[in-house]
Amino acid sequence: MTDAPPATFLFADRPEEIANLRRALDRAGYTVAGVRAAIGEHGFTFLSRAEVAPVVRRTAGGSPLDTLIRLFLCGVAVEPAAAEAALAPLDLHGCAAAGLVHVDAAGVVGGLKIRPYDVTGRQWLVAYDSAGRGAHRADFVLGIGAASLTLASMTVRPTVGSLLDLGTGSGIQALHGLGQAERIVATDRNPRAVAVAAFNFALNGATEITVRRGDLFAPVTGERFDLIVSNPPFVISPEDRFDYRDSGLPLDEICRRIVRQAGAHLNDGGWCQLLANWAHRSGEDWRARLAGWFEGTGCDAWVIQRDVEDIEHYASTWIRHEEPDPARTGEAFNRWMDFYQQAGIEAVGSGLITMRRTTRPTPWLRIEEVTQDIAVPSGDAIEATFHRLEWLAGRPEGDLQNQRLVVADDVRLYETRRVHEGRWVAEEHELRQLQGLRHVGSVDPPGAGLIAGCDGQRTVGQLIDRLADSVGADVTDVTPQAVAIVTRLVEQGFLLPLPAPAGEQGRLEASPPPTR
């Protein structure tokens, strides 16, 4: 555990100075729109690639906004007089004492990055550690990266009474919860992350959020929440160097522990979502291994594996992020590969785990790969999937045939044709979702006809009878396979039970026949 930052760090004991900083940033127009106007359409792209030269050139005018962009986005030195003017009424030496800036012979440089961030029309300012200063310190606090944005985009968003951001880092998931939850608790084991998150909440006037220091669920012992989100240090590595990356626990144990403990901290119907990595071990079914994590949790659960990386690519990616000395890269790579070999790991899976506390005696569990491009955001689609799966789980055996279904309004049927003996003949029929998780599936013409018949007027059983007649088969022979197909189509959201949620009723649009 790293030492706590000094009491003055980021004006922890001086909220009036944080308010003065916010006024200075607002006065300069330090917003997403304001900064984009100053640095150009591609400016944020340059900054994301650490290519600051184009942005530095565009901010040569010396305005307060130019100065603030150079300080807190580019990480380059500015003249003390320019910094004082941009940060007024803050005192430059006070800013340096708080770690907001560094002052030396070269000038004034931002101590952290402060990124303007637009969340559904609300303007936030998010501070985090700069890759240029202290990037390799153990308590480095990450900014808004791909993982943070992925989790935020896949988080379910029902209105809730309470939310826990477990391992908050800079606090970005807690900020996303504003307006969704009445009470938010953000925790982290890293004292620097706790300080940075508290600064961000104060900078944005987020009084609904409480920050606590501690590991995993220790800071919320005995408490329950309606939603838990977590972007934990999930990297499977032989090291314990960085708080944001390395858990210090064996393999994927950090993710397993969150799964095992989450249910005890959820209200009935409460959600837990976390990004996770898990080991694929030689001779072991990764699905069966993960299934053991959820036993006894009291939660329905859905594991979505988005990607699988072989260990060489996985290790190289993380080593490249954190090893500044190319001469030591080979040494680190060999150490990581020896670690994987000893543990029997051949690949690493990554994705999202979603759990929901249920009162049913037998929760359901789904573990599957979802590798297609999905809509952003997709939290509503994930929530809707849970509701459909709960609906299916609540049906007695054989009851699905008594139900009336409708086709989701974002479903389309695409037909591929090829030339054969001078005619266009159908080669493939493919169902696609245009929104949500964008599932894709092949279907034969009789199956397509059954789906098109789901108009809310006829039961599934009646449609299966019609299907059997159309193919000249005995209905008792057709029914088991047809029910299995319909079940899968409901699970994936191609078909919706009645009554369907508002706006979800629709019809299947078939591709028009080709001109002959």
Side-chain angles (χ1 to χ4, degrees):
M1 183 68 71
T2 50
D3 294 333
T8 56
F9 180 61
L10 292 179
F11 306 115
D13 56 346
R14 300 177 68 182
E16 71 282 0
E17 296 291 53
I18 298 177
N20 284 335
L21 173 62
R22 181 63 193 242
R23 280 191 283 270
L25 294 166
D26 289 346
R27 184 179 63 240
Y30 197 79
T31 64
V32 172
V35 171
R36 181 175 286 117
I39 66 178
E41 180 182 355
H42 304 295
F44 280 111
T45 301
F46 287 128
L47 290 172
S48 70
R49 300 197 300 242
E51 298 173 7
V52 301
V55 178
V56 170
R57 181 177 177 84
R58 280 183 169 268
T59 54
S63 71
L65 180 58
D66 291 334
T67 299
L68 292 171
I69 291 170
R70 288 186 168 198
L71 275 175
F72 298 125
L73 289 178
C74 296
V76 298
V78 302
E79 293 292 329
E84 286 180 339
L87 293 169
L90 289 174
D91 174 72
L92 189 58
H93 295 291
C95 290
L100 185 65
V101 299
H102 297 282
V103 182
D104 55 29
V108 183
V109 180
L112 297 92
K113 289 197 172 180
I114 300 179
R115 173 176 166 178
Y117 185 53
D118 189 335
V119 184
T120 60
R122 302 180 69 176
Q123 293 289 324
W124 305 115
L125 295 169
V126 182
Y128 52 93
D129 277 326
S130 168
R133 280 183 173 269
H136 304 286
R137 56 185 300 160
D139 59 357
F140 184 85
V141 179
L142 280 180
I144 306 169
S148 298
L149 295 175
T150 296
L151 179 58
S153 73
M154 299 183 80
T155 298
V156 297
R157 297 294 176 191
T159 300
V160 296
S162 55
L163 183 154
L164 170 63
D165 180 6
L166 188 75
T168 193
S170 65
I172 188 61
Q173 303 305 325
L175 286 173
H176 272 278
L178 290 171
Q180 178 187 11
E182 296 177 8
R183 178 178 69 92
I184 301 174
V185 177
T187 67
D188 207 292
R189 67 178 183 175
N190 177 0
R192 185 176 177 85
V194 169
V196 171
F199 171 78
N200 283 330
F201 302 149
L203 189 63
N204 291 287
T207 57
E208 307 95 317
I209 307 176
T210 301
V211 193
R212 304 177 192 173
R213 177 185 172 188
D215 197 15
L216 292 177
F217 291 97
V220 293
T221 300
E223 295 182 57
R224 290 178 180 265
F225 298 86
D226 299 312
L227 174 60
I228 298 171
V229 293
S230 183
N231 181 13
F234 51 64
V235 177
I236 300 174
S237 83
E239 300 180 346
D240 188 13
R241 295 177 59 192
F242 304 105
D243 283 329
Y244 76 86
R245 186 191 74 177
D246 307 312
S247 69
L249 298 172
L251 304 183
D252 45 24
E253 176 65 12
I254 181 70
C255 299
R256 191 192 75 88
R257 287 194 186 182
I258 294 173
V259 165
R260 299 295 301 165
Q261 298 174 21
H265 293 275
L266 289 174
N267 292 319
D268 288 344
W271 301 83
C272 175
Q273 292 184 283
L274 65 144
L275 295 183
N277 281 186
W278 43 80
H280 285 228
R281 303 178 76 169
S282 302
E284 183 179 65
D285 184 340
W286 68 273
R287 293 177 178 84
R289 180 169 177 269
L290 262 63
W293 292 8
F294 299 91
E295 294 176 0
T297 61
C299 295
D300 295 329
W302 187 17
V303 179
I304 296 174
Q305 180 166 271
R306 295 287 289 153
D307 191 26
V308 181
E309 289 185 273
D310 66 76
I311 51 175
E312 292 182 334
H313 184 266
Y314 184 82
S316 296
T317 298
W318 285 106
I319 292 169
R320 185 171 66 250
H321 280 321
E322 307 301 348
E323 184 51 72
D325 183 359
R328 298 175 57 185
T329 299
E331 176 187 342
F333 180 78
N334 288 332
R335 184 170 64 254
W336 283 52
M337 296 306 294
D338 289 344
F339 167 75
Y340 294 140
Q341 184 175 3
Q342 292 170 10
I345 298 175
E346 58 186 11
V348 176
S350 62
L352 178 78
I353 295 174
T354 304
M355 305 166 63
R356 193 181 190 204
R357 182 81 185 181
T358 181
T359 56
R360 295 194 317 279
T362 306
W364 53 259
L365 170 65
R366 296 182 63 81
I367 302 176
E368 61 185 325
E369 295 185 83
V370 178
T371 57
Q372 69 271 12
D373 289 337
I374 62 179
V376 177
S378 57
D380 288 350
I382 291 171
E383 182 180 358
T385 300
F386 265 75
H387 291 317
R388 292 193 305 275
L389 293 173
E390 289 168 358
W391 182 83
L392 286 168
R395 306 264 71 76
E397 184 175 355
D399 182 62
L400 182 62
Q401 296 173 61
N402 301 321
Q403 302 302 314
R404 290 175 168 83
L405 306 175
V406 293
V407 182
D409 60 9
D410 68 332
V411 172
R412 302 292 183 269
L413 177 64
Y414 293 92
E415 184 179 86
T416 304
R417 296 193 173 210
R418 63 182 176 85
V419 174
H420 177 68
E421 296 181 352
R423 297 178 58 198
W424 288 103
V425 296
E427 184 176 48
E428 183 180 25
H429 297 84
E430 189 175 69
L431 282 176
R432 286 183 173 268
Q433 292 173 333
L434 303 184
Q435 302 298 325
L437 299 184
R438 293 176 176 164
H439 288 295
V440 178
S442 296
V443 63
D444 59 18
L450 184 150
I451 295 166
C454 291
D455 56 5
Q457 303 301 312
R458 288 160 289 190
T459 67
V460 172
Q462 290 170 332
L463 292 170
I464 293 175
D465 287 342
R466 192 177 72 168
L467 172 66
D469 288 342
S470 71
V471 297
D474 190 300
V475 69
T476 58
D477 295 332
V478 172
T479 296
Q481 183 179 5
V483 169
I485 293 172
V486 170
T487 299
R488 183 60 174 166
L489 291 170
V490 173
E491 290 172 346
Q492 294 185 329
F494 289 102
L495 296 176
L496 305 176
L498 285 178
E504 285 194 333
Q505 294 191 11
R507 64 185 180 86
L508 187 72
E509 289 188 9
S511 300
T515 302
R516 294 175 182 263

